[in-house]
């Protein structure tokens, strides 16, 4: 990467719903101001970008006008940035030229996609070139899938530090309160309409070649309720697990977790008969809704009533949201470690904004401290590409990432 570029970070999709929140985060971030970091807002409309810059009080930020399908504009954007942060989804529709440009110019990249089939295509097309260029291309830097990926990393590190063994199994139970924005739903509807949903059923969709285990069937996604003795609670399938588990399994392969390593995650419903009923109802509802949305008339009806791209929950609703991801790791000998990742604020908006922005700042300000050193690159995951630097940054930003002191 060239030592001097016009901007340290470019926020692409800055006039969208989450994009506006990233601009506000950068404008208010004390470290951005004190470090002298140069940054810019990017998108296809100069007028909209200027309105966001004014509304967020980001007069120090530049403006870059670039349309997502204009390869020359994407080249110019990537050539002038050290790091590109993108919130412009659906990424399968608007992200491919930008990623290709970042790889060509050795520019680091983060986004908030949950579109695993699209990322599979990026891995096939760009992983080798990104390695050679030293460009870290890191999708999934929001609620999809940082809490999951860092939970697994923390569990593995804690097991080695406390017991001198590797984790062979990690489970995560989520409790969430929050809503959806229009961009997230648009990405889901696009995957359904394009037929990509069938690919998401592969538990090892994102794994490097040669790392798919012979017993892949035992890693299949859970489809029913269960009572779990580790969490002492009723669990149901988690709606985002078909994204997050694929990311964690890629991390496990890239970071060399234990052979036969198993990872699953769930929605936590609580204790007692009411929780058991809720877990059963949620499991059945998830199964039937997924099946129904594959039918074109039902999907079109759902799209009609869904929030439009660029819209989302109210400020009060986002401020009142929260998430908690409790994790448990086990070793082959029966040792265990526990911990939690949690934050206040709507997970798909407030927490996602924090995670995405801190990921970009880690690349811009602490590149030498990241896993693999300055020249490391490829289609990476948050855990393999950002690692403990991101853990420390998120803690400093007010997020809880803890390993419990009591372990067995």
């Amino acid at each position: 990467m060239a030592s001097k570029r016009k901007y340290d970070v470019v926020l692409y999709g800055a006039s969208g719903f989450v994009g506006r929140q990233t601009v506000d985060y950068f404008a208010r971030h004390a470290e951005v101001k004190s470090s002298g970091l140069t940054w810019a807002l990017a998108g296809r409309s100069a007028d909209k970008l200027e309105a966001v810059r004014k509304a967020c009080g980001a007069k120090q930020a530049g403006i870059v006008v670039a349309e997502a399908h204009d390869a020359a504009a994407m080249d110019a954007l990537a050539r002038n940035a050290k790091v590109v942060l993108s919130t412009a989804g659906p990424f399968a529709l608007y992200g491919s030229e930008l990623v290709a440009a970042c790889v060509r110019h050795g520019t680091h990249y983060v986004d908030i996609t949950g579109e695993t089939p699209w990322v599979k295509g990026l891995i096939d097309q760009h992983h080798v070139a990104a390695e050679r260029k030293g460009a870290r291309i890191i999708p999934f830097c929001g609620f999809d899938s940082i809490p999951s990926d860092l939970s697994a990393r923390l569990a593995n590190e804690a097991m080695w530090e406390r017991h001198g063994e590797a984790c062979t199994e990690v489970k995560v139970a989520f409790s969430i309160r929050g809503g959806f924005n229009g961009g997230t739903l648009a990405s889901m509807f696009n995957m359904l309409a394009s037929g990509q949903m069938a690919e998401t059923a592969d538990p090892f969709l994102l794994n490097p070649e040669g790392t798919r285990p012979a017993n892949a069937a035992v890693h299949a996604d859970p489809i029913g309720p269960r009572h779990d003795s580790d969490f002492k609670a009723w669990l149901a399938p988690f709606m985002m697990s078909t994204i997050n588990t694929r990311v964690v399994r890629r991390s496990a392969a890239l970071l060399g977790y234990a052979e036969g390593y198993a990872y699953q995650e769930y929605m936590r419903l609580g204790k007692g008969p009411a929780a058991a009923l809720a877990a059963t109802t949620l499991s059945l509802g998830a199964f039937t809704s997924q099946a129904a949305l594959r039918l074109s008339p039902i999907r079109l009806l759902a799209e009609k009533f869904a929030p439009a791209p660029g819209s989302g929950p109210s400020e009060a609703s986002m401020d009142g949201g929260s998430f908690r991801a409790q994790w448990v790791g086990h070793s082959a000998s029966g040792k265990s470690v526990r911990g939690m990742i949690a934050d206040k604020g709507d997970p798909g908006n407030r927490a996602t904004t924090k995670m995405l922005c801190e990921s970009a700042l880690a690349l811009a300000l602490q590149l030498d401290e990241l896993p693999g050193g300055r020249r490391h690159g490829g289609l990476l995951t948050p855990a393999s590409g950002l690692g403990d630097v991101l853990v420390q940054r998120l803690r400093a930003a007010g997020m809880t990432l803890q390993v419990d002191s009591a372990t067995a």
Side-chain angles (χ1 to χ4, degrees):
M1 180 183 292
S3 59
K4 184 64 177 176
R5 299 194 181 191
K6 186 173 183 180
Y7 299 113
D8 294 308
V9 183
V10 173
L11 314 183
Y12 188 70
S15 61
F17 187 78
V18 178
R20 294 193 296 270
Q21 295 178 64
T22 66
V23 177
D24 186 61
Y25 194 93
F26 265 64
R28 292 185 293 102
H29 204 292
E31 188 180 16
V32 171
K33 299 174 183 177
S34 64
S35 66
L37 181 139
T38 57
W39 58 290
L41 288 58
R44 63 185 178 182
S45 169
D47 290 343
K48 289 182 179 180
L49 294 172
E50 181 58 52
V52 171
R53 180 167 68 173
K54 183 177 180 180
C56 294
K59 61 181 180 180
Q60 73 275 34
I63 286 181
V64 177
V65 179
E67 203 278 326
H69 300 106
D70 185 339
M74 293 294 100
D75 267 323
L77 188 158
R79 188 170 55 246
N80 285 295
K82 291 182 180 179
V83 180
V84 172
L85 172 162
S86 179
T87 55
F91 289 87
L93 297 179
Y94 302 112
S96 297
E97 289 285 0
L98 178 54
V99 172
C102 286
V103 173
R104 283 193 293 271
H105 294 284
T107 302
H108 306 303
Y109 169 93
V110 293
D111 69 27
I112 54 172
T113 190
E115 300 162 56
T116 51
W118 177 67
V119 175
K120 168 61 174 171
L122 297 183
I123 292 168
D124 294 343
Q125 294 174 59
H126 299 302
H127 177 68
V128 173
E131 273 190 312
R132 187 171 62 250
K133 287 280 191 175
R136 294 176 194 246
I137 308 298
I138 312 178
F140 308 113
C141 286
F143 191 53
D144 300 327
S145 298
I146 280 177
S148 304
D149 211 21
L150 293 187
S151 290
R153 183 182 177 98
L154 289 172
N156 206 53
E157 290 179 343
M159 187 68 75
W160 277 113
E161 290 172 2
R162 298 183 179 191
H163 303 296
E165 301 178 27
C167 273
T168 54
E169 178 194 29
V170 174
K171 297 181 290 185
V172 179
F174 279 88
S175 304
I176 62 173
R177 183 172 60 199
F180 293 100
N181 62 59
T184 298
L185 294 173
S187 294
M188 181 189 71
F189 289 135
N190 180 66
M191 284 198 293
L192 286 163
S194 64
Q196 292 179 324
M197 275 297 190
E199 294 182 63
T200 67
D202 181 358
F204 294 93
L205 178 65
L206 302 180
N207 268 51
E209 187 175 350
T211 63
R212 180 186 297 271
N215 62 339
V218 304
H219 301 271
D221 301 314
I223 58 174
R226 58 176 288 180
H227 188 272
D228 189 273
S229 58
D230 284 316
F231 296 113
K232 297 181 175 58
W234 281 95
L235 308 177
F238 182 42
M239 58 186 173
M240 291 163 54
S241 67
T242 55
I243 301 166
N244 299 333
T245 56
R246 281 58 169 163
V247 176
V248 173
R249 289 175 191 136
R250 180 168 179 81
S251 291
L254 293 175
L255 294 170
Y257 292 176
E259 185 176 352
Y261 176 85
Y263 176 84
Q264 289 289 5
E265 61 186 36
Y266 308 88
M267 177 73 79
R268 181 180 179 132
L269 277 304
K271 303 177 182 179
L277 178 61
T280 302
T281 303
L282 185 61
S283 300
L284 181 61
F287 179 80
T288 55
S289 63
Q290 288 173 22
L293 285 170
R294 286 180 168 84
L295 301 174
S296 181
I298 294 177
R299 184 174 64 252
L300 292 173
L301 183 64
E303 287 185 66
K304 181 178 180 181
F305 291 99
S311 64
S314 67
E315 292 291 319
S317 176
M318 289 190 291
D319 290 342
S322 64
F323 81 88
R324 181 173 61 179
Q326 295 173 285
W327 54 261
V328 177
H330 295 290
S331 70
S333 70
K335 298 292 193 302
S336 67
V337 289
R338 295 173 179 269
M340 177 177 68
I341 297 180
D343 201 16
K344 296 179 181 178
D346 181 278
N349 294 284
R350 290 287 191 258
T352 282
T353 298
K354 180 184 295 184
M355 290 183 274
L356 178 64
C357 291
E358 293 298 339
S359 296
L361 290 169
L363 288 165
L365 300 174
Q366 295 177 268
L367 187 60
D368 290 331
E369 303 169 45
L370 298 180
R374 172 171 286 269
R375 291 297 304 163
H376 186 52
L379 261 292
L380 305 175
T381 59
S384 64
L386 301 169
D388 291 334
V389 170
L390 181 58
V391 171
Q392 296 305 322
R393 292 195 68 89
L394 291 176
R395 283 174 175 158
M399 188 175 290
T400 298
L401 297 96
Q402 71 182 41
V403 179
D404 292 349
S405 57
T407 61

